[in-house]
Amino acid sequence: MVQTPARPLTLEEFLALPNDDTALELVDGVAVPKMPPKRFHSGVQKGLNHILDPVLKTRGHFYPEWAVALKRKDRDWVPAPDLTYVSFERLPVDWLEDAPCPVPVDLAIEIVSPDQTVGDMLAKAADYITAGVRMVWIVDPKARTSAVFTANRLPVTYQNDQILKVEGLPQLNFYVADVFIEAGLPVQP
């Protein structure tokens, strides 16, 4: 259960909280526990990492569950996307702090968990884009889709049998189904 503090936490207060085994996100001044993922979620994260890592690690910082320090509704917001990529142009290769990413990232990937609603995920994608994140993917293991959000166009949803084309990184064009195959999920007809 989340306890609301008497006053909203600042970014500095949030970062100074004791570091235990519970992953936290800062949302509206409250430290909110991030639910541990289940098998399908973890499998999709692993599949995406396997497909994306060979290309992205040579172009920027690419990590699972790396928190990002952003602003949401004029408040500090520290989400921890399932996968985070920020190019060396936005964050230099020699940035070595053990801290949340200090700049809006190039790509935030969120994998839909059973307890999340479509409305929640759409709102989160909009918040990311408003905060300066260049691209957001919402990957749905149940529907076998990936919705891609950017600031300058309407979202595009890629189905299981379609090629997801990554603007600016043609080496990353891949079938959405490949993610779910890499994840070891049952094949859907």
Side-chain angles (χ1 to χ4, degrees), residues 39-40 42-48 177-185:
R39 178 178 172 249
F40 287 176
S42 294
V44 170
Q45 187 177 23
K46 178 182 173 187
L48 282 163
D178 292 344
V179 172
F180 305 111
I181 291 167
E182 284 287 330
L185 298 184

Side-chain angles (χ1 to χ4, degrees), residues 50-105:
H50 185 260
I51 291 168
L52 301 176
D53 188 59
V55 174
L56 295 182
K57 71 181 179 184
T58 64
R59 291 173 166 75
H61 306 274
F62 178 58
Y63 301 107
E65 307 289 333
W66 186 23
V68 184
L70 300 169
K71 292 283 187 187
R72 178 178 171 259
K73 301 175 185 172
D74 294 323
R75 286 187 158 167
D76 291 323
W77 178 42
V78 185
D82 293 305
L83 290 163
T84 303
Y85 166 71
V86 61
S87 66
F88 292 139
E89 289 79 31
R90 280 194 167 193
L91 190 63
V93 68
D94 61 352
W95 188 86
L96 299 174
E97 293 183 37
D98 188 21
C101 182
V103 299
V105 299

Side-chain angles (χ1 to χ4, degrees), residues 3 6 10 12 21 40 49 54 100 125 128-129 136 145 169 173 182-183:
Q3 291 185 338
T10 66
E12 294 75 23
D21 289 337
F40 287 176
N49 189 64
Y128 277 125
I129 296 298
V136 179
T145 60
L169 291 170
N173 296 346
E182 284 287 330

Side-chain angles (χ1 to χ4, degrees), residues 14 23-27 32 34-35 41 45 63-70 77-84 100 108-111 116 124 128:
F14 173 74
L24 299 172
E25 295 182 318
L26 180 63
V27 180
V32 179
K34 187 170 180 178
M35 294 302 296
H41 183 115
Q45 187 177 23
Y63 301 107
E65 307 289 333
W66 186 23
V68 184
L70 300 169
W77 178 42
V78 185
D82 293 305
L83 290 163
T84 303
I109 300 175
E110 292 284 358
I111 301 164
Q116 295 172 315
K124 194 168 193 179
Y128 277 125

